[in-house]
């Protein structure tokens, strides 16, 4: 009996010690993660100027359907997602496959050069892109020299070309980041699989589609979800490159949902309740698109 009581005491003591180590992390998570989420959900039911709120229930959600700026920001965000994410991930996968070739020389240099943009200062590369894509910038000068265009393109002022510039900037910055994931996955594939396929007469293209892509499916799924989250939260590039498109003929031509949230909170008359509602639109679309990507990838663990 004494031995059983002693064992229970030791177990309780070990549990207390264990929870004492975990408690700090749990408290920090509750204060800085769980509480803000719950508070923002409550805040989304409020509306008012500054800190003067009134309860509006679903009023903020109804306002979304009447808000032209919100619709424009949502449309722009979806354009970035639909075009930029597939282009970026496809480029990253193709480049990773090319750089995984054992016969390729200077692989370390090419890998570093392609990965380098994602660690470059955001402000520095935004200034570089604004300079390159200005009316008298390097891009227009090159296109004019090659007789591809007859007149300079207003890359940062035209509604269509401003979106193209943002997509190019994001793709340039993050392709190398995703390439690293694919490259790591490719190096874990047994070379004997490719050798067997080559003996059976499979071309490099068939090996890419029937071996590389299926073997990298978990990594492709991961990068797709992470890129979806990043693109739907796009803010920095749009603000630094085009300012949301205020100077284009179509007002707010490049504004994203994240920039609209910022404007609602700090630029316009502050309405934190409505800003919280718009932020949950991003959460909603991230959840829906992530579930779709899981289903398409054939992963039922959602």
């Amino acid at each position: 009996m004494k031995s059983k009581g002693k064992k229970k005491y030791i177990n309780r003591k070990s549990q207390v010690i264990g929870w004492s180590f975990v408690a700090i992390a749990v408290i920090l998570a509750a204060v800085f993660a769980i509480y803000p989420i719950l508070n923002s959900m409550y805040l989304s039911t409020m509306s008012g100027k500054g800190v003067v709120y009134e309860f509006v229930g679903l009023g903020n959600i109804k306002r979304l359907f009447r808000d032209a700026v919100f619709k424009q920001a949502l449309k722009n965000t979806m354009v970035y997602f639909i075009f930029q994410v597939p282009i970026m991930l496809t480029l990253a996968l193709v480049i990773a496959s090319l750089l995984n070739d054992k016969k390729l020389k200077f692989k370390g240099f090419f890998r570093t050069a392609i990965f380098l943009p994602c660690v470059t200062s955001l402000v520095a590369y935004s200034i570089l892109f604004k300079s390159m894509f200005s009316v008298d910038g390097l891009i227009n000068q090159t296109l004019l020299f090659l007789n591809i265009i007859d007149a300079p393109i207003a890359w940062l002022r035209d509604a269509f070309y401003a979106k193209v510039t943002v997509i190019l900037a994001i793709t340039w910055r993050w392709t190398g980041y995703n390439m690293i994931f694919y490259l790591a996955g490719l190096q874990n594939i047994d070379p004997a699989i490719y050798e067997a396929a080559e003996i059976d007469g499979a071309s490099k293209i068939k090996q890419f589609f029937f071996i590389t892509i299926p073997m990298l499916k978990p990594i492709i799924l991961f990068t797709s979800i992470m890129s979806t989250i990043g693109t739907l939260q796009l803010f920095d590039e749009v603000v630094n490159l085009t300012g949301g498109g205020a100077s284009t003929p179509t007002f707010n031509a490049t504004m994203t949902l994240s920039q609209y949230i910022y404007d609602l909170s700090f630029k316009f008359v502050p309405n934190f309740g409505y800003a919280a509602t718009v932020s949950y639109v991003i959460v909603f679309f991230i959840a829906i698109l992530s579930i779709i990507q899981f289903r398409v990838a054939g992963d039922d663990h959602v």
Side-chain angles (χ1 to χ4, degrees):
M1 293 295 291
K2 289 183 179 180
S3 60
K4 288 183 179 180
K6 188 175 182 180
K7 286 182 179 179
K8 288 182 179 179
Y9 172 76
I10 293 173
N11 289 334
R12 287 177 182 175
K13 186 176 180 181
S14 63
Q15 289 178 2
V16 170
I17 294 172
W19 277 107
S20 64
F21 282 105
V22 177
I24 298 174
V26 172
I27 293 171
L28 290 174
V31 172
F32 295 104
I34 299 174
Y35 170 73
I37 292 172
L38 296 176
N39 188 57
S40 65
M41 292 179 67
Y42 170 73
L43 190 61
S44 66
T45 64
M46 311 293 286
S47 184
K49 298 178 180 179
V51 294
V52 181
Y53 301 124
E54 62 175 346
F55 181 78
V56 293
L58 300 177
N60 286 328
I61 297 177
K62 295 177 181 178
R63 178 179 171 181
L64 291 174
F65 295 97
R66 304 189 304 268
D67 189 346
V69 179
F70 165 76
K71 293 178 182 178
Q72 180 67 41
L74 177 60
K75 177 183 175 182
N76 295 337
T77 304
M78 287 303 160
V79 167
Y80 296 136
F81 167 72
I82 292 170
F83 288 98
Q84 189 269 330
V85 171
I87 292 172
M88 176 182 66
L89 295 184
T90 302
L91 277 175
L93 186 55
V94 171
I95 293 171
S97 298
L98 293 174
L99 293 182
N100 194 49
D101 189 351
K102 293 181 179 179
K103 298 178 182 178
L104 180 67
K105 295 182 179 180
F106 308 111
K107 287 188 291 186
F109 169 77
F110 290 121
R111 291 173 183 177
T112 304
I114 296 171
F115 178 74
L116 198 60
C118 74
V119 296
T120 304
S121 167
L122 174 65
V123 176
Y125 107 87
S126 297
I127 293 173
L128 176 63
F129 264 76
K130 287 186 75 171
S131 174
M132 290 173 58
F133 285 89
S134 62
V135 175
D136 58 348
L138 177 64
I139 301 299
N140 276 332
Q141 294 297 324
T142 303
L143 295 176
L144 287 169
F145 177 77
L146 297 174
N147 293 320
I148 296 175
I149 58 175
D150 297 325
I153 298 173
W155 291 96
L156 301 175
R157 293 200 297 269
D158 181 83
F160 171 77
Y161 288 109
K163 290 188 182 72
V164 172
T165 305
V166 172
I167 290 173
L168 289 173
I170 306 168
T171 303
W172 177 83
R173 182 173 174 83
W174 295 112
T175 296
Y177 175 82
N178 290 284
M179 178 203 69
I180 293 298
F181 288 102
Y182 295 144
L183 199 55
L186 285 168
Q187 291 175 353
N188 288 322
I189 298 177
D190 189 351
I193 299 175
Y194 290 101
E195 292 173 4
E198 193 170 350
I199 292 172
D200 289 338
S203 63
K204 293 293 183 181
I205 295 176
K206 286 187 177 180
Q207 291 177 32
F208 179 78
F209 283 103
F210 293 102
I211 298 177
T212 301
I213 292 179
M215 296 291 284
L216 292 180
K217 189 177 77 169
I219 301 176
I220 293 173
L221 177 62
F222 170 76
T223 55
S224 298
I225 292 174
M226 296 303 295
S227 298
T228 297
I229 294 172
T231 304
L232 293 182
Q233 293 179 337
L234 183 63
F235 174 81
D236 301 300
E237 284 82 356
V238 173
V239 172
N240 284 281
L241 287 173
T242 66
S247 61
T248 61
T250 305
F251 195 66
N252 298 323
T254 59
M255 174 180 281
T256 60
L257 290 175
S258 292
Q259 185 185 357
Y260 189 41
I261 293 169
Y262 174 84
D263 289 346
L264 287 169
S265 301
F266 305 108
K267 190 174 180 181
F268 305 150
V269 177
N271 190 333
F272 297 110
Y274 187 53
T277 303
V278 177
S279 70
Y280 273 98
V281 173
I282 298 178
V283 174
F284 172 78
F285 277 104
I286 288 175
I288 294 298
L289 292 171
S290 297
I291 291 172
I292 292 173
Q293 289 169 346
F294 270 109
R295 296 300 185 190
V296 170
D299 194 332
D300 296 327
H301 302 289
V302 184

